Amino acid sequence: MPGDALSQDPAELRRRIDTTKAHSARVYDVFLGGKDNYPVDREAAAAALAHNPRGYLDVRHNRDFMRRAVTRLTQEHGVRQFLDIGTGLPTAENVHQIAQGVAPESRIVYVDNDPVVLAHARALLTSTDEGRTDYIDADLRRPADILEQAAKTLDFNEPIALLLVAILHFVEDEEAYPLVRELVDVLPSGSHLVLSHLTDEIHPIPTRAVQRTYTERGFTFVFRTKEEVERFFTEARGITLDEPGVVPAHQWHPGPAPAPPVVEQAYFDSLDDIEKITYRDINDVTDDDINVYGATGTKA
């Protein structure tokens, strides 16, 4: 239960966190300019950048795809409920901040099963007075548990946006497709699926080089093609892909990304390559930079 998860002893949570090995959520946090990471995570991010110096754009544009999708669903489709599975570490512009910034009454449930995320989950539970946020400590591979707990906050008689953003590339095919079908099956008519996924078919050489730096550190990535990402929508009963379909994340209803913080040039020059990422403008993205597909679908 959300309350039970957040009542765990912080010291016990810290003991569950292995700071000797890079962790996917913490490496992602590095690329987003977060502070909840360790030297081993920054080393993994630096190794990835050595193979693909503009690889941070995959992470940043994946996040910006999520921002645009949540904004669009809230503003144009009237969605007021969001189920975000594979939340990751809190950072700027989380789902509740985006949705409640448009519609203060929005309800958001975050789901993750990692002690790193759980240790920081309270930062996700701020909310407007009109809305609500909750956090569930649960595994994507046990969708029934997620749905049971989410129903305490979300009304499954009203449309829900299911977010599976940069999470399914950690799940093998034999599990991934049935999991998405099971989650989508319980969503009411008018609901939406928001999904992003890493691929190696656009620029295979740099992405596979980056993959090796991560697999050497114990990570697992399941790259999928455009057709394989489309399967998540075509095999989920009742879901129709929205325009423009499955496309590189920066091409999905493109718009300006938020400007980075402004700093003095001398200070910027004093930073290392990892530290500079926070202050880089991602609006200079090109089609040669992105290896993440993004798409949304609507349930009839």
Side-chain angles (χ1 to χ4, degrees), residues 204-251:
I205 293 176
T207 53
R208 290 171 189 168
V210 170
Q211 181 189 36
R212 286 194 296 273
T213 70
Y214 289 144
T215 55
E216 289 167 358
R217 292 167 170 80
F219 289 77
T220 298
F221 284 118
V222 182
F223 288 129
R224 291 188 172 97
T225 65
K226 178 178 180 180
E227 289 73 21
E228 289 168 335
V229 174
E230 287 173 345
R231 275 185 60 195
F232 287 113
F233 295 86
T234 59
E235 293 188 8
R237 287 179 282 268
I239 288 283
T240 301
L241 258 174
D242 300 326
E243 292 294 332
V246 174
V247 296
H250 69 301
Q251 295 178 6

Side-chain angles (χ1 to χ4, degrees), residues 23-225:
H23 185 283
S24 58
R26 299 194 312 246
V27 174
Y28 193 77
D29 184 63
V30 171
F31 283 117
L32 292 176
K35 304 299 182 185
D36 298 314
N37 51 72
Y38 298 93
V40 67
D41 306 303
R42 292 188 284 277
E43 289 169 8
L49 281 183
H51 288 288
N52 184 8
R54 287 172 65 81
Y56 65 90
L57 289 167
D58 279 329
V59 178
R60 297 278 300 278
H61 274 278
N62 175 73
R63 190 76 181 182
D64 200 59
F65 158 74
M66 182 274 288
R67 177 188 64 83
R68 298 195 310 277
V70 171
T71 300
R72 188 178 181 87
L73 290 176
T74 309
Q75 288 182 336
E76 299 184 19
H77 296 274
V79 176
R80 298 295 182 263
Q81 302 190 105
F82 297 83
L83 177 57
D84 181 8
I85 302 178
T87 300
L89 287 159
T91 185
E93 294 226 281
N94 296 292
V95 173
H96 72 281
Q97 294 165 321
I98 301 165
Q100 292 181 347
V102 176
E105 69 273 23
S106 298
R107 294 184 165 217
I108 295 87
V109 172
Y110 293 108
V111 183
D112 213 304
N113 73 326
D114 193 280
V116 181
V117 180
L118 179 56
H120 298 277
R122 286 183 179 85
L124 289 166
L125 297 184
T126 59
S127 177
T128 58
D129 292 338
E130 303 94 326
R132 184 174 172 184
T133 64
D134 268 321
Y135 178 88
I136 299 173
D137 182 25
D139 193 327
L140 170 62
R141 293 173 176 84
R142 302 186 64 178
D145 292 347
I146 292 173
L147 295 169
E148 178 184 358
Q149 295 298 332
K152 298 177 181 179
T153 301
L154 305 178
D155 180 356
F156 278 77
N157 294 309
E158 296 294 330
I160 295 170
L162 169 64
L163 276 65
L164 298 171
V165 176
I167 184 65
L168 290 168
H169 43 247
F170 297 115
V171 186
E172 298 290 348
D173 284 354
E174 61 270 19
E175 288 186 292
Y177 293 103
L179 285 171
V180 175
R181 286 197 299 270
E182 186 171 347
L183 289 165
V184 169
D185 274 351
V186 303
L187 298 180
S189 175
S191 292
H192 301 265
L193 173 61
V194 179
L195 189 151
S196 67
H197 201 294
L198 283 169
T199 185
D200 64 348
E201 73 171 344
I202 303 175
H203 308 107
I205 293 176
T207 53
R208 290 171 189 168
V210 170
Q211 181 189 36
R212 286 194 296 273
T213 70
Y214 289 144
T215 55
E216 289 167 358
R217 292 167 170 80
F219 289 77
T220 298
F221 284 118
V222 182
F223 288 129
R224 291 188 172 97
T225 65

